[in-house]
Amino acid sequence: MSSLARPRSGACPNWQRTLRACFSPFLSRSLSSAPPTPVSRNNGHPCRIAVIGSGPAGFYTAYRAMTKINGAKVDMYESLPVPFGLVRFGVAPDHPEVKNCQEKFEEVASSPNFTFIGNVSVGTPSDHKDGISVSLSSILRHYNAVVFAYGASKDRTLGIPGESLKGVYSAREFVGWYNGLPEHANLAPDLTQGEEAVIIGQGNVALDVARMLLEDVDVLRKSDIAEHAIDTLSKSKVKRVHIVGRRGPMQAAFTIKEIRELMKLPSVAFHPIEEALIPSDIKALPRAPRRLMEILLKGSPTAPSSTVKSWSLDFCLAPKAFLPSPSNPDLLTTTELERTTLASPFEHNAYALGTGAVQRIPSSVAFRSIGYKSAPLHEFSDVGIPFDETRGIISNDGSGRVQHEERNIDATTSLAKFPGLYCAGWVKRGPTGVIASTMQDAFATADAIAEDWTSNIPFMNEGTEDDLLGWEGVKWETGADNANVVSWAGWRRIDGAERERGQKVGKEREKFVRTTDMLAVVR
């Protein structure tokens, strides 16, 4: 790197202590104070943006920002050697049409102003061999703006007895396992111990899990599902799936498309639900809930008495415990639930109350599907970035500007924004919505960046004579091993190798499920 100027390590001399110290010229003012006049944005220096995370939120933010800010340069950091986040590892393998957004992401990545930096974790240690980690403080020294778009990598838990028994899994782990996520490649769920499975939760992810358990394995073979999942599912003895929810059908979180698809599975039956839980006059309902109730009342083409596999939506049941086998205290055999009642069963926000009545369902396998949760990067506390642990989001103004609470001279508190820090996607709003809603959310964040940039709102590292160095500066400062960094060209080589593997077995791709195998392709 002899041709590059030394990174400006003195730009924020107190950075190592806190982010607040670095931004003290701005954070010491209350919201009502006018910010200092920043350097003109027309001095020829591009807006340098780091995006942490390469899923839909990251790519859509990058796309919009590069469209709205003339000459903006975006460096995208991804902890895995491969991009696309939940599009690759979360979308069901039998839903290839949902992954069409990758074409737009490829277009973004083809820009000369975009750099993909794969296999590099930011602000947290890498979780795999030969993975690189760079400090968040170093990132903050070399960009005008940083967008946190790293999604939700943790699970919400039930907090009930038996949750750690063998046979109890989180839906996030299971989805990652059958989609080839390296983190869960060794999950090895045992589906051979019995015929009944319980899924706690009634969102779309729960329905995805049910469909994978009930779908004809020969149909799945043609998808990009991981080969180890095909092997396990082909040996599965599960024939009956209970999808359990605390409330009723009018409060369920699944969507019309997902429930209709499950209803239409060939040779799989749906057990009718209790009609008292559905309004008597469904024609009076708004269009969306009316269509949903119609699908539930119609049921499946196949009757439970005429097929081997079946499923049900078990409403008004709250999980109480996972019970072990009398002969093996570590192995799940039964799920214990409490019957609930709804004071207003047809109101969307109806609250479930326990009745004390207990119901037990034999179950050799159970899945917890009650939501994902984001976690703070390890360095957030060091640099003073606030994270709402309860909601699992970075504190922000709703448009993606990271904000913090500051005390004014009169001892009152107000919310102030960190110059140049933004968030998008699930770490901004919580783990809800589909890819389309994530796109709109990411666009809102990018619009906020563009608005601030054109309005002369202060950003990080302004007032310098030279361009910021971005990734080149971070790499120089941290001594990152370039041999283990995966570029977009490197990803294309991995992509090509996976497609070639897939062609040999009659599918679109056969994913690598080990990071060592991914990295071997690009070395």
Side-chain angles (χ1 to χ4, degrees):
M1 209 180 128
S2 58
S3 62
L4 292 174
R6 180 182 178 87
R8 299 172 306 100
S9 59
C12 285
N14 294 325
W15 189 271
Q16 291 79 1
R17 290 201 290 271
T18 62
L19 184 65
R20 186 182 299 273
C22 183
F23 288 151
S24 59
F26 308 134
L27 300 186
S28 61
R29 294 172 170 81
S30 67
L31 286 179
S32 60
S33 301
T37 303
V39 174
S40 170
R41 304 292 156 90
N42 297 318
N43 60 1
H45 298 321
C47 178
R48 279 273 187 184
I49 303 172
V51 175
I52 314 301
S54 71
F59 265 103
Y60 280 126
T61 302
Y63 165 71
R64 184 79 157 197
M66 292 167 69
T67 300
K68 289 215 156 191
I69 303 175
N70 186 38
K73 293 183 179 294
V74 174
D75 292 346
M76 180 174 285
Y77 291 82
E78 167 56 52
S79 60
L80 288 171
V82 295
F84 304 144
L86 280 183
V87 175
R88 178 181 169 98
F89 297 118
V91 173
D94 57 345
H95 286 174
E97 73 284 353
V98 180
K99 302 183 183 185
N100 289 340
C101 58
Q102 290 179 191
E103 296 177 6
K104 172 58 69 177
F105 303 161
E106 292 275 359
E107 178 186 325
V108 174
S110 68
S111 169
N113 287 332
F114 177 92
T115 302
F116 177 71
I117 304 156
N119 200 40
V120 177
S121 298
V122 174
T124 190
S126 176
D127 63 358
H128 58 267
K129 181 183 179 182
D130 292 331
I132 298 169
S133 180
V134 298
S135 68
L136 177 58
S137 57
S138 180
I139 294 286
L140 296 171
R141 277 193 285 271
H142 295 286
Y143 293 91
N144 297 122
V146 175
V147 181
F148 300 105
Y150 58 83
S153 60
K154 303 297 180 182
D155 299 299
R156 295 191 182 278
T157 58
L158 292 164
I160 61 176
E163 207 163 352
S164 61
L165 287 175
K166 183 179 180 181
V168 179
Y169 307 95
S170 79
R172 185 186 68 86
E173 293 172 338
F174 188 66
V175 170
W177 168 78
Y178 66 63
N179 273 319
L181 180 64
E183 177 186 356
H184 300 307
N186 295 323
L187 184 67
D190 188 352
L191 306 179
T192 65
Q193 295 301 310
E195 297 186 350
E196 295 197 60
V198 168
I199 303 171
I200 306 297
Q202 293 183 332
N204 283 343
V205 174
L207 268 58
D208 279 346
V209 171
R211 201 172 64 257
M212 292 299 106
L213 293 172
L214 297 169
E215 178 68 272
D216 184 340
V217 174
D218 288 335
V219 173
L220 295 175
R221 288 184 198 279
K222 303 171 185 177
S223 72
D224 68 353
I225 190 171
E227 193 60 32
H228 60 233
I230 287 294
D231 183 60
T232 297
L233 291 170
S234 65
K235 299 173 183 176
S236 172
K237 293 182 179 179
V238 173
K239 295 181 174 63
R240 175 75 166 87
V241 177
H242 301 262
I243 307 174
V244 176
R246 298 171 185 268
R247 301 189 293 170
M250 288 294 291
Q251 297 82 36
F254 52 74
T255 58
I256 293 171
K257 178 181 180 297
E258 296 290 336
I259 198 70
R260 181 188 289 122
E261 188 172 10
L262 198 48
M263 288 288 187
K264 291 183 177 180
L265 279 184
S267 302
V268 177
F270 174 66
H271 293 263
I273 66 174
E274 185 181 345
E275 292 193 14
L277 294 173
I278 295 179
S280 57
D281 184 13
I282 61 174
K283 292 182 179 179
L285 295 173
R287 184 171 182 269
R290 183 184 74 244
R291 290 175 62 199
L292 200 58
M293 295 306 108
E294 289 172 346
I295 292 171
L296 293 179
L297 287 173
K298 183 179 179 180
S300 60
T302 307
S305 59
S306 62
T307 188
V308 174
K309 292 183 178 181
S310 65
W311 63 284
S312 60
L313 291 166
D314 296 3
F315 295 109
C316 296
L317 290 173
K320 299 299 291 182
F322 295 110
L323 305 179
S325 163
S327 59
N328 187 342
D330 297 324
L331 187 66
L332 171 72
T333 58
T334 304
T335 301
E336 183 176 273
L337 308 119
E338 180 182 10
R339 175 67 60 181
T340 65
T341 185
L342 304 174
S344 304
F346 307 139
E347 296 293 328
H348 178 71
N349 295 321
Y351 190 78
L353 297 172
T355 65
V358 173
Q359 179 174 333
R360 291 182 175 179
I361 300 177
S363 45
S364 59
V365 63
F367 300 90
R368 179 183 66 241
S369 185
I370 57 171
Y372 295 12
K373 187 176 182 180
S374 297
L377 297 183
H378 289 192
E379 286 187 47
F380 273 7
S381 59
D382 295 337
V383 298
I385 295 176
F387 190 88
D388 186 333
E389 294 280 2
T390 301
R391 299 174 62 194
I393 63 171
I394 295 172
S395 179
N396 69 92
D397 67 350
S399 294
R401 299 177 180 91
V402 177
Q403 62 184 11
H404 69 102
E405 190 176 82
E406 72 174 10
R407 187 171 296 278
N408 300 319
I409 296 176
D410 60 0
T412 61
T413 59
S414 58
L415 295 175
K417 300 175 182 64
F418 285 117
L421 295 189
Y422 301 85
C423 54
W426 285 3
V427 77
K428 168 186 170 184
R429 73 181 191 279
T432 60
V434 294
I435 290 178
S437 53
T438 295
M439 178 184 71
Q440 295 301 323
D441 173 270
F443 282 3
T445 293
D447 288 347
I449 299 171
E451 178 184 346
D452 292 350
W453 185 257
T454 57
S455 300
N456 284 341
I457 299 296
F459 275 69
M460 295 187 292
N461 304 312
E462 291 193 286
T464 63
E465 295 182 1
D466 302 319
D467 287 352
L468 294 172
L469 296 176
W471 164 237
E472 292 298 329
V474 173
K475 183 169 59 175
W476 190 96
E477 182 178 308
T478 61
D481 182 2
N482 205 49
N484 286 329
V485 176
V486 179
S487 65
W488 194 256
W491 150 243
R492 296 304 299 270
R493 290 169 62 185
I494 296 171
D495 179 47
E498 288 184 339
R499 291 180 184 276
E500 184 177 337
R501 281 157 48 94
Q503 287 178 356
K504 295 178 180 178
V505 293
K507 56 198 295 190
E508 179 185 358
R509 75 170 64 240
E510 181 61 46
K511 296 174 184 172
F512 293 111
V513 300
R514 313 285 179 193
T515 55
T516 51
D517 294 333
M518 297 174 186
L519 293 172
V521 174
V522 299
R523 286 175 176 162

